[in-house]
Amino acid sequence: MRPVEIQEHTCDVCVVGGGLAGCLAAARAAELTGEVILVDKSNPERSGCAGTGLDHVWGYFPEVQQAEGVSLEDLVEDHARNFAKGLIHRKLIHYIARTSYDRILDLERFGARIRYEDSTLPGKLRLQFQLHRCRNTLHFDGRDIKRILTRAVRASGARILERVMATELLVNDGRAAGVAGYGTRDGKVHRIRAKAVIMATGRPNRLYRSPPGYVFATRMPPALTGDGKAAMFRAGVELINMEFLSIPGRWASRNFIRGGGLPGGSYQPPGIGVNALGEVIKPRNHDLADAGLGVYWTTATYGTGRSFQSELEAGRGPLYADMSWGSEADQEYMRWGITNEGSGAAFLEVMEDYGLDFRRHKIELWPIEPEHSSSAACGPRVDEHCQTTLPGLYAAGDEAGGIPGSVAPGAFTMGYLAAESAAALASRSRAVPEGQGEQALVEFCNQTLSRPEGDSWQEAQAAIQNIMTDYNMDIRSQTMASRGLECLEYLQGAMRLSAADAHELTHCLEMRNLIECGGIILRSTIERTESRGSIFRRKDFPEQDDANWFCFLGQRLEDGRVVFARHAPG
């Protein structure tokens, strides 16, 4: 077998990941500096968490919130205290709230529709209650938001290098100098040298077994396998909050396409959650807001004194989303929202194929697989400029750590901010540095392709999910996590992956990154000796310990050994 070919690229700013944050970063960086390359594992028109649609984005809308007596500081405090429980990067969440409307106006400038004649609010905006205690979530036509953003990236002059999976950081004299990745179609190793790098590859999915039992049946895109986080950790970047899980906060359809915040989110205004006896467990979002309660994850019992999990454990399951009531206008609005939200159009098509109707049929709910995202807020430690602990490397959106619930507005605003920071650094740098770091990727590719027989990526995937589900989900403790880490390390040393082509090798590289992320998570689980709300529960340390653990727990590689550090949120 011939060794993999290496193809060289150079640019001023390299953006890795073509989701919401990456597209905003690439478009903005191209406005400010010379050559920009956006590297995407897939095609940015349909990649990332919003690849199949986005119908909502929260923000601060001055004309609306001020008239309702809600200041910017009120919104920031609501998010920091009620959603993040104080454990949040306050400077960044303030920046996100303060500039989110500006970025929404950018979406409109790019071609997205955000105004509607039926709205009675200033600006003809459709604002709903969703995440906060005020009406500040914009519903809009976002099914094709990624196509719109990709057009904006191309119009900016940025170059798109698609179907390249970035797995390694190039480093020169202690600073980021580019990335190396594998071409999922052309089978080449691409070496992209840059003056500054922005990581925006998102969350690590596919670490745990999903309730339907299928590898790719995750709520969020299964192509997101923690590639950026694994690459950064290998390069010595400090990652925080990797032990946190967003479970049991989210439920979704058990048997159909999963997404949209069922029974809230896109399923409003009719959507309610009921138990098997028909008793209401989760009222409508508007009813919660009228009662002065948080809507989404800010309250576990939804104002009824019950949660989905408690009802299931009490024997009153299954749980259902009931959208059978409400006016025809309510039903029409809900279907419009679902159509524009992730996988929603496909959900409606499947329902039609099976003869299902919201007026007549309830949708069974089940807890989703654990996610290291949103309320978990894991990723590299960043400052108020999105700079990571490695000079020249920035992170945005779901990639960055320490900003729970930033979601879409965090992607838009942090992508923009990271671009400005990276472009400023690039303008001060005379030459593109000559970085190193691709050799491990080249060796892995050559070895995996040269094995005529070996372990399949499917076998490795099943082993990873079994280890993480059994040792780091329902029962978390020092001994369980230690055993899980032993199993992962054995798997890493014993498996001999084999790939017949570029497609299979891409999946093998994903297994390499998932094992890396799983090890980081298990080590952080062992290190944090407390429990913290719903995002981190240890059987051997069931109490919350603010005196010692009200902090971001950082983990990094230093001279081949793992080093931990605690950082006060701020």
Side-chain angles (χ1 to χ4, degrees):
M1 188 210 76
R2 290 167 48 187
V4 292
E5 180 183 342
I6 299 177
Q7 185 168 339
E8 298 277 348
H9 312 265
T10 60
C11 59
D12 292 305
V13 175
C14 177
V15 181
V16 185
L20 299 178
C23 284
L24 260 291
R28 179 56 176 162
E31 293 176 345
L32 300 174
T33 189
E35 187 168 357
V36 175
I37 295 179
L38 172 62
V39 182
D40 192 71
K41 186 177 182 178
S42 179
N43 181 335
E45 288 194 359
R46 288 299 182 196
S47 65
C49 292
T52 55
L54 174 72
D55 78 326
H56 64 283
V57 54
W58 68 262
Y60 185 74
F61 302 87
E63 288 184 308
V64 177
Q65 268 80 66
Q66 287 178 3
E68 296 178 347
V70 179
S71 68
L72 173 63
E73 302 304 325
D74 292 335
L75 175 60
V76 171
E77 186 61 24
D78 179 9
H79 192 100
R81 178 178 296 181
N82 297 314
F83 186 96
K85 310 303 181 188
L87 202 59
I88 193 169
H89 194 311
R90 281 188 172 263
K91 289 183 179 178
L92 275 180
I93 195 61
H94 194 283
Y95 173 84
I96 291 167
R98 187 177 74 251
T99 63
S100 54
Y101 187 38
D102 292 333
R103 303 290 73 80
I104 291 169
L105 294 179
D106 284 342
L107 302 185
E108 184 178 38
R109 178 168 58 87
F110 295 153
R113 183 187 179 193
I114 66 169
R115 305 181 194 276
Y116 304 88
E117 288 303 315
D118 63 356
S119 173
T120 60
L121 295 174
K124 295 296 181 179
L125 304 173
R126 287 178 173 175
L127 298 184
Q128 303 293 338
F129 293 95
Q130 187 162 348
L131 193 67
H132 303 104
R133 285 171 164 81
C134 62
R135 180 171 47 172
N136 72 319
T137 293
L138 173 72
H139 277 197
F140 72 107
D141 282 83
R143 178 185 174 184
D144 293 322
I145 189 63
K146 286 304 310 304
R147 286 185 171 179
I148 291 170
L149 290 176
T150 302
R151 286 199 298 268
V153 172
R154 291 196 171 102
S156 73
R159 175 188 168 198
I160 297 176
L161 185 60
E162 64 182 46
R163 315 242 179 235
V164 172
M165 176 186 177
T167 67
E168 313 298 325
L169 273 169
L170 303 181
V171 179
N172 177 283
D173 194 25
R175 61 165 285 183
V179 298
Y182 180 71
T184 66
R185 292 284 178 87
D186 64 21
K188 299 177 183 178
V189 167
H190 292 261
R191 190 168 179 269
I192 304 106
R193 295 167 51 216
K195 297 176 182 177
V197 177
I198 300 172
M199 275 289 182
T201 66
R203 56 191 75 186
N205 289 335
R206 284 167 48 198
L207 277 167
Y208 303 87
R209 292 192 299 264
S210 65
Y214 303 113
V215 170
F216 295 102
T218 52
R219 185 181 73 94
M220 286 299 184
L224 304 182
T225 49
D227 305 332
K229 290 176 174 57
M232 288 186 284
F233 185 75
R234 287 192 284 264
V237 178
E238 185 177 22
L239 305 183
I240 61 172
N241 296 349
M242 293 297 289
E243 67 276 19
F244 291 160
L245 291 173
S246 54
I247 186 175
R250 295 299 298 266
W251 290 57
S253 166
R254 177 167 188 164
N255 299 313
F256 290 94
I257 294 166
R258 309 157 78 219
L262 195 73
S266 306
Y267 295 82
Q268 293 298 303
I272 60 174
V274 300
N275 63 16
L277 306 178
E279 299 168 330
V280 176
I281 308 305
K282 182 187 184 301
R284 298 188 316 155
N285 285 2
H286 290 72
D287 296 332
L288 286 167
D290 290 344
L293 298 170
V295 171
Y296 226 173
W297 299 297
T298 51
T299 174
T301 58
Y302 306 115
T304 62
R306 303 175 177 182
S307 69
F308 289 149
Q309 189 68 31
S310 69
E311 290 300 291
L312 195 65
E313 292 173 354
R316 292 187 287 268
L319 285 303
Y320 297 92
D322 182 357
M323 284 74 67
S324 63
W325 60 286
S327 67
E328 286 305 312
D330 289 340
Q331 291 283 321
E332 182 181 352
Y333 188 96
M334 174 184 66
R335 292 180 69 86
W336 167 78
I338 296 171
T339 299
N340 284 288
E341 178 59 357
S343 301
F347 191 10
L348 294 179
E349 185 174 332
V350 169
M351 288 189 64
E352 184 176 348
D353 289 345
Y354 281 83
L356 300 176
D357 183 87
F358 287 130
R359 286 290 197 186
R360 297 182 292 113
H361 300 97
K362 300 180 180 68
I363 305 299
E364 185 178 349
L365 298 172
W366 198 255
I368 66 167
E369 66 282 349
E371 293 179 348
H372 293 270
S373 61
S374 189
S375 53
C378 63
R381 183 164 66 93
V382 295
D383 65 12
E384 63 268 31
H385 306 292
C386 294
Q387 164 80 57
T388 71
T389 57
L390 179 67
L393 176 66
Y394 304 84
D398 280 345
E399 192 75 90
I403 316 100
S406 65
V407 287
F412 295 137
T413 58
M414 293 175 68
Y416 193 91
L417 176 60
E420 294 190 326
S421 301
L425 176 64
S427 67
R428 299 192 300 267
S429 304
R430 293 185 177 181
V432 178
E434 185 68 47
Q436 300 295 322
E438 76 280 5
Q439 193 55 41
L441 171 61
V442 172
E443 291 177 1
F444 182 91
C445 292
N446 287 332
Q447 290 173 2
T448 306
L449 288 169
S450 66
R451 291 189 184 105
E453 295 181 359
D455 302 318
S456 69
W457 70 266
Q458 292 94 333
E459 292 173 308
Q461 177 74 85
I464 293 166
Q465 290 188 341
N466 286 339
I467 292 168
M468 295 302 294
T469 301
D470 293 345
Y471 295 107
N472 197 59
M473 190 169 141
D474 293 329
I475 303 174
R476 305 181 81 184
S477 68
Q478 191 274 332
T479 52
M480 289 292 284
S482 295
R483 177 57 179 158
L485 190 58
E486 289 176 4
C487 292
L488 271 188
E489 290 173 346
Y490 173 81
L491 177 64
Q492 187 175 36
M495 71 178 182
R496 295 293 181 267
L497 292 173
S498 176
D501 51 38
H503 178 75
E504 288 188 357
L505 182 52
T506 299
H507 286 308
C508 291
L509 286 165
E510 290 177 334
M511 298 308 103
R512 177 173 174 255
N513 289 336
L514 287 176
I515 289 175
E516 190 80 77
C517 288
I520 301 167
I521 291 163
L522 289 169
R523 286 190 294 269
S524 289
T525 296
I526 295 168
E527 186 71 13
R528 182 179 283 271
T529 54
E530 65 149 2
S531 289
R532 184 156 293 275
S534 64
I535 60 175
F536 187 73
R537 293 174 175 170
R538 279 186 57 162
K539 296 293 186 180
D540 50 350
F541 288 93
E543 301 300 322
Q544 185 165 307
D545 181 4
D546 284 342
N548 294 297
W549 288 108
F550 185 73
C551 64
F552 298 144
L553 175 60
Q555 182 181 165
R556 73 183 192 278
L557 274 180
E558 184 178 291
D559 299 326
R561 63 188 182 91
V562 175
V563 177
F564 291 97
R566 305 182 195 187
H567 305 279

